[in-house]
Amino acid sequence: MLLPEALPKARGNAVADDERAALLGFQIFFDARFASDNETRCATCHAPERSFADGLATPRAGVPRNAPTIFNAARNGWQFWDGRADSLWSQPLFAFESRAEMDFGRIEIAQRIAKSYRAPYESVFGALPELERFPARGRPGEASYDALSAEDRAAIDRVAANVGKALEAYMRRVATGRAGFDRWLLGEGRAISTEAVRGVDAFVAARCATCHSGPTLSDDRFHVVVLGDEGDPGHAGGQAILAASVFRADGAFADVDDLPPLDYGEPLPHAFRTPSLRNVALTAPYFHDGRFATMEDAVRGHDGVTLSAAAMADVVAFLRSLDGEYPKPPWNNWPEK
């Protein structure tokens, strides 16, 4: 469970650790001009002042799932509760094009880059296509995009993918460092409280570590953990979306790397990715639909988990010991104007 000091390699993103790409992604993350309403931005649901989450059960009408923090998203193998994205760079592209979120098609993304970020984009990714001859807007399923030649669609998709890669380069810098729990694992006996030490034992005894294991305290797999959730297809729906995506980690817009292929597994109806417990005390409410307001409620909400009041208090003390060192400036706040 010890958190490694280094992040894992990025999947399919050759510029993930390029500071120029991170600075570009930093600006885009907070730029509301990448939304049709000129108000919504990535930071709307992932605000620095709210531990890069939004503190809401669900962000808005039409978005039925809780917005997770982007803290340590670079350590996840899968993105979204249903795993519809298999890389961190492809994740924001869904939010851009979602009509319930930013509602900004990939042609609009490319046009905005050309208008506002041409120089920093081209310094990292090379020349933009000649966008003057393209429509002002469009995405798959719209005639303005679908009528383009295969070559032109690929050119637009490449720009969108590169924007995602710049955003990943930024989000990799929004990773928290080691917590008191890690210092305790390394032998610093007083790094966490006596209650938290007991909480570690109670956590393991209750078999919470069956799924909440490894450095992020997540097995990065998908499970059905609550009953009565048959209305959400969960992982099965996410797999169908992923299968149709041109931005898959094994697709044409992913950069070549030496990472082993992902195991996509069998679609699991009503299953959701095990969330990391790192920084969990900062990121209420909990579960995929934000149904639980407190950590105590979230622990009780797992089928089969029964703890005494004393054990519950100890487990919560342990969970609070997982708050990691905050990201470094300038990445930990809004960009300076």
Side-chain angles (χ1 to χ4, degrees):
M1 289 184 177
L2 180 68
L3 188 75
E5 292 186 322
L7 292 173
K9 289 182 64 175
R11 186 173 292 276
N13 185 357
V15 301
D17 296 312
D18 186 321
E19 184 153 333
R20 298 170 304 158
L23 287 167
L24 173 60
F26 188 22
Q27 296 297 320
I28 294 171
F29 190 89
F30 292 92
D31 192 339
R33 293 175 297 176
F34 285 90
S36 62
D37 62 6
N38 284 305
E39 294 180 1
T40 307
R41 61 196 92 206
C42 301
T44 300
C45 295
H46 305 286
E49 60 272 23
R50 293 186 176 273
S51 300
F52 287 90
D54 62 7
L56 303 173
T58 57
R60 59 176 70 190
V63 183
R65 297 184 185 140
N66 177 261
T69 179
I70 64 167
F71 280 159
N72 303 313
R75 297 185 184 276
N76 298 338
W78 303 99
Q79 306 297 329
F80 290 101
W81 286 99
D82 61 7
R84 69 181 59 189
D86 57 3
S87 69
L88 184 54
W89 62 265
S90 63
Q91 182 275 330
L93 304 180
F94 286 97
F96 279 128
E97 293 199 304
S98 167
R99 297 190 188 278
E101 296 178 73
M102 297 166 79
D103 190 23
F104 210 66
R106 59 193 69 178
I107 296 180
E108 292 165 283
I109 293 172
Q111 296 287 14
R112 175 48 60 192
I113 289 291
K115 290 177 183 177
S116 304
Y117 294 100
R118 179 181 291 274
Y121 175 94
E122 292 186 338
S123 74
V124 178
F125 299 109
L128 283 162
E130 296 179 4
L131 292 166
E132 294 82 2
R133 62 186 178 82
F134 283 81
R137 58 185 55 87
R139 72 195 88 184
E142 296 177 353
S144 55
Y145 174 88
D146 294 343
L148 296 175
S149 68
E151 182 179 5
D152 283 348
R153 291 196 302 272
I156 291 295
D157 291 351
R158 174 66 65 186
V159 176
N162 288 341
V163 168
K165 291 171 185 176
L167 283 163
E168 177 179 28
Y170 162 63
M171 289 189 282
R172 283 175 69 83
R173 284 154 174 79
V174 187
T176 55
R178 286 177 169 170
F181 174 66
D182 299 294
R183 297 195 301 274
W184 177 75
L185 288 175
L186 290 169
E188 188 179 329
R190 295 186 178 181
I192 63 176
S193 67
T194 301
E195 292 80 8
V197 174
R198 292 199 305 262
V200 175
D201 291 336
F203 184 86
V204 173
R207 302 188 63 192
C208 301
T210 302
C211 299
H212 291 286
S213 56
T216 65
L217 283 87
S218 167
D219 61 3
D220 212 34
R221 300 178 68 179
F222 299 85
H223 305 276
V224 179
V225 295
V226 291
L227 301 177
D229 206 27
E230 289 76 13
D232 191 322
H235 179 250
Q239 283 288 72
I241 294 169
L242 177 61
S245 175
V246 299
F247 300 122
R248 287 167 58 109
D250 58 0
F253 302 103
D255 300 322
V256 175
D257 58 46
D258 58 2
L259 295 172
L262 285 168
D263 179 8
Y264 291 96
E266 293 297 320
L268 300 171
H270 322 305
F272 298 93
R273 187 178 64 83
T274 307
S276 169
L277 296 183
R278 294 279 173 178
N279 309 293
V280 66
L282 305 175
T283 54
Y286 305 108
F287 276 45
H288 66 279
D289 54 4
R291 66 179 64 187
F292 295 118
T294 69
M295 287 188 287
E296 291 87 347
D297 289 341
V299 174
R300 281 190 290 263
H302 282 75
D303 293 331
V305 176
T306 302
L307 295 172
S308 68
M312 176 68 76
D314 291 340
V315 167
V316 169
F318 158 58
L319 295 176
R320 293 189 184 281
S321 77
L322 296 171
D323 292 350
E325 181 184 358
Y326 214 73
K328 304 294 186 186
W331 317 109
N332 62 356
N333 210 333
W334 291 67
E336 294 182 5
K337 301 297 184 185

